[in-house]
Amino acid sequence: MTIDNSSDRSGHGTQSTDAESARAADRSVGRPNPSRRSEQSRRAILTAARELVSELGFAKLSIEAIAARAGVGKQTIYRWWGSKGEVVFEAFLALSDPGEGIVLPDSGDLETDLKYLMRETVAEFADPAFEGPVRALNAEIINDPKLARLYHEKMAAPVDEAKKERLRSAQRAGQLAPDLDLDLALELLYAPLYQRWLLRSGPLTPEYADSLVDLTLRGLRP
Amino acid sequence: MTIDNSSDRSGHGTQSTDAESARAADRSVGRPNPSRRSEQSRRAILTAARELVSELGFAKLSIEAIAARAGVGKQTIYRWWGSKGEVVFEAFLALSDPGEGIVLPDSGDLETDLKYLMRETVAEFADPAFEGPVRALNAEIINDPKLARLYHEKMAAPVDEAKKERLRSAQRAGQLAPDLDLDLALELLYAPLYQRWLLRSGPLTPEYADSLVDLTLRGLRP
Amino acid sequence: MTIDNSSDRSGHGTQSTDAESARAADRSVGRPNPSRRSEQSRRAILTAARELVSELGFAKLSIEAIAARAGVGKQTIYRWWGSKGEVVFEAFLALSDPGEGIVLPDSGDLETDLKYLMRETVAEFADPAFEGPVRALNAEIINDPKLARLYHEKMAAPVDEAKKERLRSAQRAGQLAPDLDLDLALELLYAPLYQRWLLRSGPLTPEYADSLVDLTLRGLRP
Amino acid sequence: MTIDNSSDRSGHGTQSTDAESARAADRSVGRPNPSRRSEQSRRAILTAARELVSELGFAKLSIEAIAARAGVGKQTIYRWWGSKGEVVFEAFLALSDPGEGIVLPDSGDLETDLKYLMRETVAEFADPAFEGPVRALNAEIINDPKLARLYHEKMAAPVDEAKKERLRSAQRAGQLAPDLDLDLALELLYAPLYQRWLLRSGPLTPEYADSLVDLTLRGLRP
DNA sequence: ATATAAACGAGACGGTACGTCTGGTCTTTAG
DNA sequence: CTAAAGACCAGACGTACCGTCTCGTTTATAT
């Protein structure tokens, strides 16, 4: 429910204003009235959540600690969010909000661009500031289908769409089979990389990224 | 430490007998003497752990519940295992112990065999009895490098080796490039499948398995 | 601290109001705020303690059992009391609260009245319902100076004062030496009796009580 | 039972030899054979018990700690003693064993001698090395009639007998009533003192001891 | 001298309770 | 009527000991 509120806030998939949806929620009994919600507390909670998940990791993070750091009563968190996961997710979401559209480099040569992208991803995975929160989020996703859906809709989808746009451009340039399933193609490229990092199933080097692109493109070309 | 004991039990990497290693451990101070360990309690604990992780999930599983279900004092768990994770991991390990070698079907046609294997994997992922524990284990692996290493060594390695053996056979039959990196090939085949299941990033159907094999093999052939 | 609260409640030795002292305690850090205390829980705990100490005896009584019987979290006990002894003591205190003043019989003849009182005490000591808790309390007092002080202040003092009042009356009637140390006189009379019972150093009969009074009064008369 | 063994050892109240009683015990099934008992272990246990009760107090003393300190298996303690209390009591007993008879000073003047004795007792009570163990023992006696009996028989009786002997001497000298109940007289003298110390019911000074003697003797003289 | 049976040290076992900690709910007070 | 503060019920945590029960290993008769 809370996360629905947050989605209203970002305005995806609905034309209703904040004020309207607040009034709508008001009609359903037993729920707090969002129009009365303290924006200051909300921001303090999300900031505290972000900081703490970096300092302690997701597992050792407690609602109690978030409330204390944010200078907020525990009930204020429980009132608006359903779980630790939801709070942290919304905190990440606010942080990673890309503003508007993502555009990937397009040099005209797909192989060059992909190798660049994949090497960049490898570098990103090696960043310790990225490591903790993203691992935490993924661990939660594994056990929480609701969170998984949210993640794919709000965080993964925009990035994936940008990547697919680049692939479509390659299709138009005759560098990819015209009937290629782009979702599948993306998975072929990224899943091995992601899995190596997430499950630590092997070393993650720029050379590995290159091999992956080479081998995959052999299957994807017309 | 306990898990090392269990590896002694399965005889990996050492020629020493149980009796010998028991006496050796005896010399190191402050550690319980494995030779006195109750095999009955050990089994009851692992069974209880396996059952409970299925019923409750890893997060809601408590040492206290394992002890109660196993009819065992809590101290008996703390004596031999260092954490909830270790107990559950060993429980899985005992469960999935393949006895001896794993041999995969070899019809002579790689594509046929791979599609069969991948469809079987898809079916396995749909089994609710498999779902809970494996998700739990993977969630732990994400945040625990030690556990990740153990998982790859004890559980994944034997299976992967069997799969690579099948790929080697295909190489000999001229169905795969002779200089192919088999680890990479395995990742190309399995990572997309595994990721769809683990992170719920898309539907998992037999047809999907087929497409995956088709597309991948295009890149792997000589 | 709790027991200090209870003293506030009974109004001994302080003119400050409950509200005042609550606010004062509020200022000292790390301590629970007594004004928020649940009176219902407090009563349930004391009742459970009283029942259980009768059923099991003090030694076999556990905080855990009190909490369970009272339908209360263990922390609620640890928050307000420092030990099993304090809880049980306050339970006794609430029970034995004499409301107002104690008045002892005054027939005009000290010897008669004392023999009556001492025989009554002997009878009380023989009551099994009295035995258990009072032995438990005394055993604790032996090892806990704080509890000893509390006992003398809250439980013994009022009774002793009533007894001394009777002795003063006898002094006025010329039946006791006018310069007699009344505390000492009380000890002479009661300590032998109490010791026989508490340490089981001899049989406790009405005749013994009489002899005690006879012999003691020989020393106390003018 | 164990304590009976120890009484056999000291030869109180029985004519049977050690060898005889050993053989007698042998006949009864399920009991350990005292003739095989390790004197070295027994001594180590009693010494450890004595040390630990001083260091930790009786309440915090554990059988496990005694066994560890004595370098002895726990079962060896449980084999020969029935409870922590019995072990500690026997440890005290061995310590306080007066060898043979106790003789108190006899100057010819009872008042002088009593005041000296009582002042000495007051001083003894103030000794911290005496305090801990004796409080512990008394606390146990309160709740354990068997231990109480043992205490009076083995530890208190010899001392009391010596005191009564001094009182008899005073009777012969015409300083006490000839028909005086000596047990009662002792209680009159000592119970108030003991109670002040044990239950901390008042300050314990040499002057208090004097007043006690003065007042009591007024009642005991012919 | 040797067998044999008991006591021994060691310590694992099923348990109970400890005192602490956190989670999510309920209550009180202030604004 | 929201929000902060925090007490509340609940129950898991990891530890300490309980008293019982094997294990091998002395040790001390009783052959």
Side-chain angles (χ1 to χ4, degrees):
Chain A
M1 131 222 4
T2 294
I3 289 185
D4 290 344
N5 289 336
S6 73
S7 75
D8 288 341
R9 209 168 284 112
S10 12
H12 290 290
T14 166
Q15 282 92 318
S16 69
T17 65
D18 277 351
E20 269 172 21
S21 65
R23 229 157 288 134
D26 218 20
R27 261 169 254 132
S28 57
V29 280
R31 283 228 194 64
N33 179 345
S35 72
R36 296 251 180 168
R37 183 169 187 180
S38 157
E39 183 59 20
Q40 187 182 326
S41 292
R42 184 182 153 266
R43 262 201 261 275
I45 289 164
L46 294 181
T47 301
R50 220 177 308 128
E51 291 171 7
L52 285 167
V53 89
S54 288
E55 294 169 23
L56 308 171
F58 184 85
K60 300 201 167 180
L61 174 67
S62 69
I63 296 269
E64 215 139 45
I66 298 176
R69 167 90 50 115
V72 137
K74 283 199 287 180
Q75 196 57 37
T76 302
I77 299 182
Y78 285 111
R79 192 163 13 241
W80 300 109
W81 287 274
S83 69
K84 190 170 69 166
E86 287 184 14
V87 182
V88 173
F89 179 76
E90 194 175 328
F92 287 171
L93 196 60
L95 189 68
S96 77
D97 192 356
E100 270 315 292
I102 304 157
V103 184
L104 299 181
D106 189 344
S107 68
D109 181 48
L110 180 62
E111 185 180 329
T112 306
D113 291 350
L114 280 182
K115 284 184 177 171
Y116 169 77
L117 275 175
M118 299 278 278
R119 279 168 172 261
E120 220 177 22
T121 305
V122 167
E124 200 181 18
F125 283 165
D127 175 5
F130 173 92
E131 182 113 15
V134 179
R135 283 194 183 281
L137 180 57
N138 276 280
E140 287 307 290
I141 283 171
I142 285 179
N143 290 306
D144 185 345
K146 213 171 62 178
L147 195 58
R149 199 178 50 72
L150 271 168
Y151 169 77
H152 291 301
E153 279 176 20
K154 308 282 178 229
M155 299 186 74
V159 181
D160 286 353
E161 189 45 47
K163 288 173 184 166
K164 283 195 278 187
E165 191 47 49
R166 179 65 191 83
L167 295 187
R168 269 192 284 269
S169 155
Q171 278 180 317
R172 271 176 258 126
Q175 295 170 359
L176 287 180
D179 60 342
L180 184 64
D181 178 338
L182 297 183
D183 284 309
L184 184 53
L186 270 187
E187 286 176 328
L188 238 60
L189 280 163
Y190 280 93
L193 199 69
Y194 203 67
Q195 179 164 290
R196 276 213 174 187
W197 171 73
L198 193 61
L199 304 184
R200 308 168 205 263
S201 50
L204 216 56
T205 62
E207 292 74 33
Y208 174 74
D210 289 351
S211 316
L212 202 50
V213 172
D214 286 337
L215 209 49
T216 307
L217 280 189
R218 285 185 59 186
L220 304 184
R221 292 211 178 88
Chain B
M1 140 219 356
T2 292
I3 290 183
D4 290 343
N5 289 336
S6 74
S7 76
D8 288 341
R9 212 168 281 115
S10 10
H12 291 290
T14 167
Q15 282 93 314
S16 68
T17 65
D18 276 350
E20 269 173 21
S21 65
R23 228 158 289 133
D26 220 21
R27 261 170 254 132
S28 60
V29 280
R31 280 223 198 67
N33 180 346
S35 72
R36 300 249 174 162
R37 185 170 185 177
S38 159
E39 183 59 21
Q40 188 180 324
S41 293
R42 185 182 153 267
R43 263 201 260 276
I45 289 164
L46 295 181
T47 301
R50 219 178 307 128
E51 290 172 9
L52 286 166
V53 89
S54 287
E55 294 169 23
L56 307 172
F58 183 85
K60 299 201 168 179
L61 173 67
S62 69
I63 297 269
E64 211 135 72
I66 297 176
R69 167 90 49 115
V72 136
K74 281 198 289 177
Q75 200 56 46
T76 301
I77 299 182
Y78 285 112
R79 183 153 33 231
W80 301 110
W81 287 276
S83 68
K84 194 170 66 165
E86 285 185 17
V87 182
V88 172
F89 179 75
E90 195 176 327
F92 287 172
L93 195 59
L95 188 68
S96 77
D97 192 355
E100 271 312 293
I102 306 157
V103 183
L104 300 182
D106 189 343
S107 68
D109 180 49
L110 181 61
E111 186 181 328
T112 307
D113 290 351
L114 280 181
K115 283 184 176 170
Y116 169 77
L117 276 174
M118 300 279 278
R119 278 166 172 261
E120 220 178 22
T121 304
V122 168
E124 200 181 18
F125 284 164
D127 176 3
F130 173 93
E131 180 115 15
V134 179
R135 284 194 183 280
L137 180 56
N138 275 282
E140 287 307 291
I141 283 172
I142 286 180
N143 289 305
D144 185 345
K146 214 172 61 179
L147 194 59
R149 199 179 51 73
L150 271 169
Y151 169 78
H152 290 302
E153 279 177 21
K154 308 274 181 236
M155 299 187 73
V159 181
D160 285 353
E161 189 44 48
K163 288 173 183 166
K164 282 195 279 187
E165 192 46 51
R166 179 64 191 84
L167 294 188
R168 269 192 284 269
S169 155
Q171 278 180 318
R172 269 173 269 144
Q175 294 171 0
L176 286 179
D179 60 341
L180 183 64
D181 178 339
L182 297 184
D183 285 309
L184 184 53
L186 270 187
E187 286 177 328
L188 239 58
L189 280 163
Y190 279 92
L193 198 68
Y194 203 68
Q195 179 163 292
R196 275 213 174 188
W197 172 73
L198 192 62
L199 303 183
R200 309 168 204 265
S201 51
L204 215 56
T205 62
E207 292 73 34
Y208 174 74
D210 289 351
S211 317
L212 203 49
V213 173
D214 286 336
L215 209 49
T216 307
L217 280 188
R218 286 184 59 188
L220 305 184
R221 292 211 177 87
Chain C
M1 138 216 2
T2 291
I3 290 183
D4 291 343
N5 290 336
S6 72
S7 75
D8 289 341
R9 216 167 278 118
S10 8
H12 291 290
T14 166
Q15 282 92 315
S16 69
T17 65
D18 276 349
E20 268 173 23
S21 64
R23 228 159 288 134
D26 220 20
R27 260 170 255 131
S28 59
V29 279
R31 282 223 199 66
N33 178 347
S35 71
R36 297 254 175 147
R37 186 169 185 179
S38 159
E39 183 60 20
Q40 188 181 323
S41 294
R42 184 181 154 268
R43 263 201 261 276
I45 289 164
L46 295 181
T47 301
R50 220 178 305 128
E51 291 172 8
L52 285 166
V53 89
S54 287
E55 294 169 22
L56 307 172
F58 183 85
K60 299 201 167 180
L61 173 66
S62 69
I63 296 270
E64 212 136 66
I66 297 176
R69 167 89 52 114
V72 136
K74 283 199 288 177
Q75 200 55 46
T76 301
I77 299 182
Y78 285 111
R79 188 163 19 240
W80 301 110
W81 288 276
S83 69
K84 193 170 66 165
E86 286 185 16
V87 182
V88 173
F89 177 76
E90 194 174 327
F92 287 171
L93 195 60
L95 190 66
S96 77
D97 191 356
E100 271 314 293
I102 305 157
V103 183
L104 299 181
D106 190 344
S107 69
D109 181 47
L110 181 61
E111 185 182 329
T112 307
D113 290 351
L114 280 182
K115 284 184 175 171
Y116 169 78
L117 275 175
M118 300 278 279
R119 279 166 171 263
E120 220 178 21
T121 304
V122 167
E124 199 181 19
F125 283 165
D127 175 4
F130 173 91
E131 181 114 15
V134 178
R135 285 194 182 279
L137 181 56
N138 275 281
E140 287 306 292
I141 284 172
I142 286 180
N143 290 305
D144 185 345
K146 215 171 59 178
L147 195 58
R149 199 178 49 75
L150 271 168
Y151 169 77
H152 291 301
E153 279 176 21
K154 308 281 179 226
M155 298 186 75
V159 180
D160 285 353
E161 189 45 48
K163 289 174 183 164
K164 284 194 278 187
E165 192 47 50
R166 180 62 191 84
L167 295 187
R168 270 190 284 269
S169 155
Q171 279 180 315
R172 272 177 257 124
Q175 294 171 0
L176 286 179
D179 59 344
L180 183 64
D181 178 337
L182 295 185
D183 285 309
L184 185 52
L186 270 188
E187 286 177 329
L188 239 59
L189 278 163
Y190 279 94
L193 197 69
Y194 203 68
Q195 179 165 290
R196 276 213 174 187
W197 172 74
L198 193 61
L199 304 183
R200 310 169 202 263
S201 49
L204 215 56
T205 61
E207 292 74 32
Y208 174 73
D210 288 352
S211 316
L212 203 49
V213 173
D214 285 337
L215 209 50
T216 306
L217 280 188
R218 285 186 58 187
L220 305 183
R221 291 211 178 87
Chain D
M1 146 224 348
T2 292
I3 289 183
D4 290 343
N5 289 336
S6 73
S7 75
D8 289 340
R9 209 167 284 113
S10 14
H12 291 290
T14 166
Q15 282 91 319
S16 69
T17 65
D18 276 351
E20 270 173 21
S21 65
R23 227 158 289 132
D26 220 21
R27 260 169 256 130
S28 59
V29 280
R31 281 224 198 66
N33 179 348
S35 72
R36 296 248 175 158
R37 184 171 186 178
S38 159
E39 183 59 19
Q40 187 180 325
S41 293
R42 185 182 153 267
R43 262 202 261 276
I45 289 164
L46 295 181
T47 300
R50 219 177 308 129
E51 290 172 7
L52 285 166
V53 89
S54 286
E55 294 169 22
L56 307 171
F58 184 85
K60 299 201 167 180
L61 173 67
S62 69
I63 296 270
E64 214 139 53
I66 298 176
R69 166 91 49 116
V72 137
K74 283 198 289 176
Q75 195 64 265
T76 301
I77 299 182
Y78 285 111
R79 186 156 28 232
W80 301 110
W81 288 275
S83 70
K84 192 171 68 165
E86 287 185 16
V87 181
V88 173
F89 178 77
E90 193 175 327
F92 287 171
L93 196 59
L95 190 69
S96 78
D97 192 356
E100 270 315 294
I102 306 157
V103 184
L104 300 182
D106 189 345
S107 67
D109 180 49
L110 180 62
E111 185 181 328
T112 306
D113 291 350
L114 280 182
K115 284 185 175 171
Y116 169 76
L117 275 175
M118 300 278 278
R119 280 167 171 261
E120 220 178 22
T121 304
V122 167
E124 200 180 18
F125 283 165
D127 175 5
F130 173 91
E131 180 114 16
V134 179
R135 285 194 182 278
L137 180 57
N138 275 282
E140 287 307 291
I141 283 172
I142 286 180
N143 289 305
D144 185 345
K146 213 171 61 179
L147 195 59
R149 200 179 49 74
L150 271 169
Y151 169 77
H152 291 301
E153 278 177 20
K154 308 279 180 229
M155 299 186 74
V159 181
D160 285 353
E161 188 45 48
K163 289 174 184 165
K164 283 195 278 187
E165 191 46 51
R166 179 65 191 82
L167 294 188
R168 269 192 285 270
S169 155
Q171 278 180 316
R172 276 182 305 250
Q175 295 172 358
L176 286 180
D179 59 343
L180 183 64
D181 177 338
L182 296 184
D183 284 309
L184 185 53
L186 271 187
E187 286 176 328
L188 239 58
L189 279 163
Y190 278 94
L193 198 68
Y194 203 67
Q195 179 163 292
R196 277 215 174 187
W197 171 73
L198 192 63
L199 304 183
R200 307 167 204 265
S201 49
L204 214 57
T205 61
E207 292 73 34
Y208 174 74
D210 289 351
S211 315
L212 202 50
V213 173
D214 286 337
L215 209 50
T216 306
L217 280 188
R218 287 184 57 188
L220 304 185
R221 293 211 176 87

